[in-house]
Amino acid sequence: MPERLADKVALITGATGGIGQATAELFAREGARLVVTDLAEKATEELATRLAPAGAEVLAARLDVSSAESWSEVIELTRQRFGRLDVLVNLAGIVDWPGVEDTTQESWDRVIAVNQTGTWLGMKAAMPLLRATGNASVVNTSSVLGLVGSGAAAAYQASKGAVRLLTKTAAVEYATRGVRVNSVHPGVIATPMIQDLLDEQGDRQPDIVRTPMRRAGDPAEVAAAMLFLAGDESSFVTGTELVVDGGLTAY
């Protein structure tokens, strides 16, 4: 079976996280040339080293997604190394759990800067290279908490709701310009970000209790959704929300 991302160059932010690593590994197996980025420079370089045996050509770069200057540097590195960019996966994100009254402005500003502004800056910086291919894909990471309320995580929910609609308006803007733009909305996924809660509460964790499948998802299950939207199999899919949540939002 042909590799689904053969000859494509993909840039992944937040690549050292649970979903990021799973996505990078899957993309490498499917033939992509990769730019893996994160704030943690050493961990990013270690990821690139681990991906090498899969035969992937990998560029590791430090990226602060909240900085326009940092984005410009990474896009220029990508252009110099590969000469093109076919796929942008905006995965970098942080979470803050307090509700409206208990969220500090410092925490609010940081979450918005990374999750919301970082997604916009990524598309803004990468779009010239993406448009030049004539057949590119942007995959933005929102959340089930960008679709429904939880009564908590005010900054996180605001940022992920914004990513959802930013994705839709970008999809319309670039629909005839060679770039598809979609969002993925994970539910409870067993990543380091929530692993402590899962270890402590297991199947009693409230969101798992509310999930019809009664389990947390695996990062690889989200990576598979990323792969579908990144590749040519989704050539008539843009502006959509791909929810990977075990049925959590089906009620």
Side-chain angles (χ1 to χ4, degrees):
M1 181 177 178
E3 294 172 324
R4 294 161 73 183
L5 296 180
D7 300 322
K8 292 186 183 293
V9 176
L11 190 160
I12 302 172
T13 74
T16 67
I19 297 173
Q21 291 190 52
T23 300
E25 291 165 359
L26 180 57
F27 280 23
R29 291 197 299 272
E30 291 294 341
R33 293 176 289 170
L34 294 173
V35 184
V36 291
T37 72
D38 211 306
L39 264 177
E41 191 168 5
K42 182 178 179 182
T44 307
E45 291 172 351
E46 290 173 349
L47 173 62
T49 300
R50 292 199 303 275
L51 293 172
E57 184 179 356
V58 185
L59 170 65
R62 182 184 183 278
L63 173 61
D64 175 358
V65 297
S66 68
S67 164
E69 181 180 0
S70 187
W71 267 111
S72 294
E73 292 171 354
V74 168
I75 293 300
E76 179 58 21
L77 286 173
T78 302
R79 187 192 65 77
Q80 291 177 3
R81 177 71 172 267
F82 297 112
R84 62 183 294 147
L85 182 63
D86 302 271
V87 179
L88 171 64
V89 179
N90 279 313
L91 249 170
I94 57 176
V95 66
D96 189 49
W97 295 111
V100 170
E101 292 183 68
D102 293 328
T103 297
T104 66
Q105 184 165 354
E106 180 182 9
S107 294
W108 174 276
D109 289 345
R110 182 59 183 156
V111 171
I112 297 300
V114 173
N115 297 0
Q116 180 177 333
T117 305
T119 299
W120 163 66
L121 285 174
M123 289 196 292
K124 180 179 175 66
M127 205 56 82
L129 268 184
L130 292 166
R131 285 192 287 106
T133 71
N135 181 31
S137 173
V138 175
V139 185
N140 292 328
T141 308
S142 181
S143 167
V144 292
L145 296 185
L147 299 171
V148 297
S150 69
Y156 182 79
Q157 293 222 217
S159 69
K160 292 303 186 179
V163 167
R164 171 179 175 264
L165 282 182
L166 175 61
T167 298
K168 288 182 178 296
T169 196
V172 174
E173 181 176 356
Y174 292 97
T176 59
R177 301 170 72 185
V179 184
R180 297 179 297 104
V181 189
N182 295 287
S183 57
V184 172
H185 296 250
V188 183
I189 308 299
T191 66
M193 186 180 291
I194 67 163
Q195 194 60 55
D196 288 345
L197 283 174
L198 294 175
D199 290 343
E200 178 184 340
Q201 299 176 350
D203 292 342
R204 297 178 290 103
Q205 206 275 338
D207 286 333
I208 290 181
V209 172
R210 291 195 293 270
T211 298
M213 286 190 174
R214 295 295 190 273
R215 67 173 178 87
D218 188 276
E221 293 174 300
V222 182
M226 301 285 186
L227 174 63
F228 169 69
L229 292 175
D232 294 337
E233 293 165 315
S234 57
S235 59
F236 198 53
V237 179
T238 196
T240 196
E241 303 152 354
L242 182 45
V243 182
V244 187
D245 71 346
L248 181 62
T249 57
Y251 289 110

